[in-house]
Amino acid sequence: MANEWVLAVVLALGGVGSAGIVGLALVALVQRRSVPYLLVTLALVTLGARAVVGAFSLLGMLSIPTHHTAEHLLDVLMAGLVIAAVYTARSARRSAAAADRGYGGGEDD
Amino acid sequence: MTETRDLIAARVRADPGVHFNELVRALDLAPGQVQYHLRRLEWVVAADLYGQTHYYPPGYDADERRALALLRRETAADVVAVLLEAGALPATDVAERVGIARSTLSWHLDRLTEAELVRDDRDARNRVVLSLVDPEGTARLLRRAEPSTPGRLVDRFTRLVDSLLAE
């Protein structure tokens, strides 16, 4: 099946790419040590998890319905994590602005 | 043998503040080899700064070593370059000129002010105004600081994330 080869290559590329970007996110997380960065890192981990789920179903270890459910569950998780990251970044900024009026407080004409 | 040592020595001289992994990667050597030769090179100064061991040729004091470790970060170097050009500038204008979110600037500023490279004062309107403590000295160090490729990637990743989360 030529199709399976294409899928295997795409999955491998996706796996390597997401591993690289998770690595970047982890270094950034170590530097920043903040909740938004933790959530962004986890969101990127779900991207890698999709590749893992794909590989399992390619190897016949997951049925197609289970595979679909898992992939869409990861979508929901990723969207939730990104929304949470944006939300926590906003509240962190607001408290920082309150603590340090005059810088980043948005009080510039 | 000594050829490898000369390579490492030349790299440390050319790139003050180079860190261990970078030496391994750039010179395509085994970590053990680099470790062995660094120990033999008695004039090399090692300093643990910001979670990494940096290596320096002689002639830099502790403040300069720390400054070099910071200026190897692309964004910090950009902030310093803007201040070299402008003199004193409100923080919001610095962020705008460098093209970074305020959260990115504030993270780098924490380190730059702590290392006493950048001073933050308040003007009459209570805005934070940034300036360099020692423009000439910092300019000299900035010319010697060369960011590594992984360092650049992490730096750009944080810039991207900060700007996406900010607005």
Side-chain angles (χ1 to χ4, degrees):
Chain A
M1 282 282 279
N3 235 350
E4 284 210 338
W5 278 113
V6 174
L7 183 58
V9 169
V10 168
L11 279 173
L13 284 175
V16 170
S18 52
I21 205 165
V22 166
L24 264 185
L26 282 171
V27 176
L29 175 63
V30 167
Q31 281 187 10
R32 297 300 179 94
R33 289 161 203 248
S34 71
V35 174
Y37 269 84
L38 174 64
L39 296 168
V40 166
T41 306
L42 290 173
L44 291 168
V45 167
T46 63
L47 205 60
R50 292 184 62 113
V52 174
V53 169
F56 276 145
S57 51
L58 187 70
L59 297 170
M61 290 155 82
L62 277 182
S63 68
I64 294 296
T66 317
H67 160 92
H68 277 314
T69 311
E71 296 274 340
H72 291 304
L73 206 63
L74 286 169
D75 287 345
V76 171
L77 203 58
M78 180 165 194
L81 286 164
V82 170
I83 290 166
V86 172
Y87 183 81
T88 51
R90 284 195 71 88
S91 41
R93 216 174 40 255
R94 203 164 294 147
S95 61
D100 184 21
R101 294 273 305 280
Y103 169 57
E107 294 292 338
D108 311 306
D109 14 51
Chain B
M1 193 69 201
T2 43
E3 204 176 305
T4 308
R5 195 172 305 172
D6 290 343
L7 271 179
I8 294 172
R11 183 78 193 198
V12 172
R13 279 204 189 89
D15 192 4
V18 64
H19 39 77
F20 188 81
N21 295 343
E22 217 176 322
L23 280 170
V24 172
R25 199 177 35 242
L27 303 174
D28 202 20
L29 299 165
Q33 254 183 311
V34 175
Q35 217 161 12
Y36 170 81
H37 289 293
L38 279 172
R39 232 174 305 169
R40 289 281 182 289
L41 288 163
E42 278 162 20
W43 51 264
V44 170
V45 183
D48 281 315
L49 290 157
Y50 308 106
Q52 274 171 320
T53 308
H54 298 259
Y55 296 95
Y56 300 86
Y60 293 102
D61 64 24
D63 288 344
E64 288 170 325
R65 288 197 291 268
R66 180 196 274 217
L68 277 168
L70 281 177
L71 294 172
R72 292 170 68 80
R73 295 205 167 124
E74 196 178 43
T75 307
D78 287 349
V79 168
V80 167
V82 163
L83 291 174
L84 271 172
E85 206 183 329
L89 201 66
T92 42
D93 296 358
V94 173
E96 207 168 306
R97 281 202 204 182
V98 177
I100 49 177
R102 285 174 195 164
S103 50
T104 311
L105 177 62
S106 112
W107 189 81
H108 285 282
L109 268 186
D110 284 348
R111 277 143 205 81
L112 289 168
T113 50
E114 183 204 13
E116 291 180 353
L117 287 173
V118 173
R119 194 175 37 230
D120 54 344
D121 304 301
R122 303 262 168 173
D123 67 359
R125 292 168 54 199
N126 202 27
R127 290 179 311 176
V128 173
V129 176
L130 304 174
S131 56
L132 291 171
V133 175
D134 170 21
E136 288 80 16
T138 307
R140 196 170 42 84
L141 292 173
L142 186 61
R143 278 194 292 272
R144 300 301 316 269
E146 191 55 53
S148 65
T149 309
R152 252 188 240 272
L153 280 173
V154 172
D155 224 54
R156 291 178 190 190
F157 177 82
T158 55
R159 276 167 83 147
L160 173 69
V161 171
D162 284 339
S163 59
L164 288 175
L165 293 178
E167 258 52 69

